[in-house]
């Protein structure tokens, strides 16, 4: 097994990747539940909006597994960028070969005969020094190759844990029957434990909750909620106190509620506050850092806006202005923001939801990227 390079953590508020439980806030109950499901042979479906912390939870559970079971192999695959079954097979194959190569020195020599349709390219990860394998699948060989991958996983003596993030993406593949194909393999790999994670709640709920779908009731459902506010405050303030500083509880509460407890946004703000301030006791510093983040992303947002129609962009600005919109097709909302007809709003709404620029929560519609929402409101009023 490749050893992980030890490096000093300068800023404890990590919002990209995962380090260790010391820098991961709470989720103790959720971690225990996931580990219990694995231990008792149950696969897991994990559903939450993006940036609440589902990836962190998965990697926290994997951290505990890898430290308790040295021979276990944990694989994380984010398939958001995949467009077809071949993309999926190549990504899964790369993860399997990299994961096993890190545990077994002779694996790559055996892999050619075990998974013959994969064409591996080996390199070294620049951060860990561990072998990193990328693979390509020969055209027309996707189904045969995925069978080879699962056959290997089924017969390995190791316990394997596979997390497939943004799993709802497979429903968009042009190949028919992808869900049924995967289900047919998953159900026979008893030594492989799966997490199917996704951010499109309605699609994930349908995939695992509809009797007409192959994965119907095949997993334990977990819906991730925002972190408990007092627990999160104690976690955050603890790091400030370690260097004889503090963050005011009311200030933290304002940050928490401004972003509805979405961890990624809160962590990115805390990261910058920790970098620049020893004591944070008012919102002036917070608002300054938020606007600095928004300014750094403005070119990205401007570029994105160019791909929207005038009606779509008008609706996006209107939602950002109100923050949360319960009834976007209401006469009041349309008139106040000088929008087109209710049918035009409905058409634009579908497109913005599909591209995840808008998100439907329990209280209504909002701009999915909260920093983009602030940019729209501050730029266009």
């Amino acid at each position: 097994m490749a050893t992980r390079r030890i490096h000093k953590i300068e800023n404890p508020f990590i919002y990209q990747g995962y380090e260790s439980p010391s820098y991961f806030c709470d989720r103790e109950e959720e971690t225990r539940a996931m580990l219990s499901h694995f231990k008792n042979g149950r696969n897991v479906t994990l559903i939450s909006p993006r940036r609440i912390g589902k990836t962190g939870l998965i990697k926290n559970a994997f951290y505990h597994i890898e430290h308790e079971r040295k021979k276990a192999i944990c694989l994380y695959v984010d398939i958001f960028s995949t467009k077809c079954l071949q993309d999926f097979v190549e990504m899964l194959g790369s993860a399997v070969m990299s994961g096993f190569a890190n545990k077994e020195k002779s694996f790559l020599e055996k892999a050619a005969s075990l998974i013959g349709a994969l064409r591996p390219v080996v390199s070294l990860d620049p951060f860990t020094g561990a072998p990193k394998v990328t693979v390509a699948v020969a055209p027309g060989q996707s189904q045969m190759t995925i069978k080879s991958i699962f056959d290997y996983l089924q017969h390995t003596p190791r316990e394997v844990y596979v997390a497939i993030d943004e799993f709802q993406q497979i429903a968009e593949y042009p190949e028919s029957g992808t869900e049924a194909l995967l289900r047919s393999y998953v159900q026979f790999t008893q030594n492989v434990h799966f997490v199917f994670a996704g951010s499109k709640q309605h699609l994930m709920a349908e995939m695992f909750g509809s009797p007409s779908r192959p994965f119907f009731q095949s997993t334990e459902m977990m819906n991730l909620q925002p972190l408990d506010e007092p627990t999160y405050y104690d976690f955050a303030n603890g790091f400030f106190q370690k260097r004889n500083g503090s963050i005011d509880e009311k200030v933290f509460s304002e940050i928490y509620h401004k972003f509805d407890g979405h961890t990624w946004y809160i962590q990115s703000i805390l990261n910058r506050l920790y970098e620049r301030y020893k004591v944070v006791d008012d919102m002036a510093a917070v608002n300054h850092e938020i606007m600095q983040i928004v300014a750094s992303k403005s070119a990205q947002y401007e570029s994105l806006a160019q791909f929207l129609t005038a009606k779509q962009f008008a609706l996006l600005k209107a939602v950002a202005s109100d923050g949360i919109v319960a009834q976007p097709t209401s006469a009041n909302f349309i008139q106040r923001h000088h929008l087109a007809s209710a049918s035009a709003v409905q058409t634009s709404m579908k497109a913005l939801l599909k591209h995840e620029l808008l998100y439907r929560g329990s209280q209504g519609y909002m701009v999915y990227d909260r920093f983009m929402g602030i940019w729209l409101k501050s730029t266009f009023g």
Side-chain angles (χ1 to χ4, degrees):
M1 177 180 177
T3 57
R4 191 175 187 177
R5 290 183 183 175
I6 299 172
H7 61 282
K8 183 181 179 182
I9 303 297
E10 297 288 348
N11 193 315
F13 295 104
I14 296 167
Y15 64 98
Q16 302 288 356
Y18 174 87
E19 187 62 34
S20 75
S22 299
Y23 302 97
F24 183 74
C25 181
D26 195 27
R27 299 293 189 201
E28 293 179 3
E29 183 178 338
E30 295 93 333
T31 300
R32 280 195 298 270
M34 187 173 287
L35 293 175
S36 178
H37 291 321
F38 289 154
K39 184 178 179 181
N40 291 282
R42 300 186 292 263
N43 292 328
V44 174
T45 297
L46 180 63
I47 304 176
S48 80
R50 283 194 195 149
R51 298 177 171 175
I52 277 187
K54 60 181 168 58
T55 302
L57 172 60
I58 292 167
K59 293 192 174 182
N60 190 56
F62 282 3
Y63 180 96
H64 289 286
I65 290 168
E66 289 178 322
H67 280 73
E68 292 169 10
R69 305 176 187 181
K70 298 298 183 183
K71 292 186 177 181
I73 293 179
C74 296
L75 310 173
Y76 172 83
V77 185
D78 184 342
I79 66 168
F80 181 72
S81 63
T82 62
K83 303 299 181 186
C84 61
L85 180 60
Q86 180 169 335
D87 291 349
F88 174 86
V89 175
E90 289 181 346
M91 194 168 282
L92 179 63
S94 296
V96 169
M97 295 189 80
S98 295
F100 276 85
N102 286 331
K103 292 281 188 176
E104 302 176 11
K105 292 181 179 179
S106 62
F107 171 75
L108 290 176
E109 297 173 8
K110 298 183 293 182
S113 59
L114 293 167
I115 312 175
L118 291 175
R119 295 174 290 183
V121 176
V122 184
S123 59
L124 293 180
D125 188 298
F127 298 103
T128 66
K132 182 179 180 181
V133 186
T134 55
V135 301
V137 175
Q141 299 296 308
S142 296
Q143 291 201 20
M144 185 185 78
T145 305
I146 198 168
K147 180 180 185 302
S148 299
I149 292 171
F150 275 92
D151 282 347
Y152 181 78
L153 292 176
Q154 183 179 357
H155 293 101
T156 181
R158 294 177 181 272
E159 289 286 309
V160 182
Y161 301 80
V162 181
I164 305 176
D165 207 350
E166 302 301 342
F167 185 72
Q168 74 279 337
Q169 190 66 22
I170 70 168
E172 306 290 333
Y173 293 170
E175 297 89 355
S176 60
T178 300
E179 286 180 57
L181 177 69
L182 290 177
R183 177 73 178 107
S184 68
Y185 292 129
V186 167
Q187 64 184 332
F188 294 115
T189 49
Q190 299 302 315
N191 62 314
V192 185
H193 313 275
F194 289 90
V195 181
F196 304 104
S199 59
K200 292 188 177 180
Q201 294 169 283
H202 65 290
L203 286 178
M204 290 292 288
E206 184 179 345
M207 289 175 75
F208 291 90
S210 171
S212 64
R213 305 294 281 265
F215 280 94
F216 174 61
Q217 293 187 350
S218 62
T219 64
E220 291 293 322
M221 304 293 287
M222 292 180 64
N223 288 277
L224 201 59
Q225 301 300 320
L227 288 166
D228 174 69
E229 183 183 342
T231 303
Y232 198 175
Y233 170 71
D234 290 341
F235 170 83
N237 192 43
F239 286 119
F240 280 91
Q241 288 181 330
K242 283 181 180 178
R243 60 176 192 180
N244 299 317
S246 66
I247 180 169
D248 182 78
E249 189 169 2
K250 290 182 180 178
V251 170
F252 179 85
S253 185
E254 283 200 50
I255 299 171
Y256 181 93
H257 289 285
K258 186 177 185 68
F259 295 97
D260 298 316
H262 283 221
T263 315
W264 185 87
Y265 298 100
I266 299 170
Q267 287 288 107
S268 20
I269 294 162
L270 291 173
N271 178 282
R272 287 159 175 78
L273 291 171
Y274 185 88
E275 176 188 2
R276 296 182 174 92
Y277 307 93
K278 191 172 184 179
V279 174
V280 181
D281 55 8
D282 61 52
M283 283 298 292
V286 174
N287 291 329
H288 174 76
E289 296 307 324
I290 290 173
M291 295 314 298
Q292 289 289 103
I293 295 171
V294 171
S296 73
K297 296 176 178 289
S298 61
Q300 170 192 334
Y301 295 146
E302 288 170 6
S303 177
L304 183 60
Q306 293 176 7
F307 292 95
L308 302 177
T309 67
K311 290 178 180 178
Q312 290 168 358
F313 191 51
L315 177 58
L316 194 63
K317 289 188 293 183
V319 173
S321 177
D322 283 15
I324 298 178
V325 181
Q327 297 179 318
T329 56
S330 69
N332 177 271
F333 178 75
I334 290 171
Q335 290 168 7
R336 279 192 301 107
H337 294 286
H338 309 289
L339 302 175
S341 64
S343 61
V345 168
Q346 205 163 33
T347 301
S348 294
M349 181 72 69
K350 287 180 180 178
L352 294 173
L353 287 169
K354 180 180 180 180
H355 295 294
E356 296 191 310
L357 293 172
L358 288 182
Y359 166 74
R360 184 177 183 177
S362 59
Q363 295 180 310
Y365 297 88
M366 63 193 76
V367 178
Y368 208 141
D369 182 336
R370 302 306 176 85
F371 290 141
M372 185 180 191
I374 294 170
W375 174 76
L376 287 164
K377 190 170 183 177
S378 62
T379 306
F380 300 99

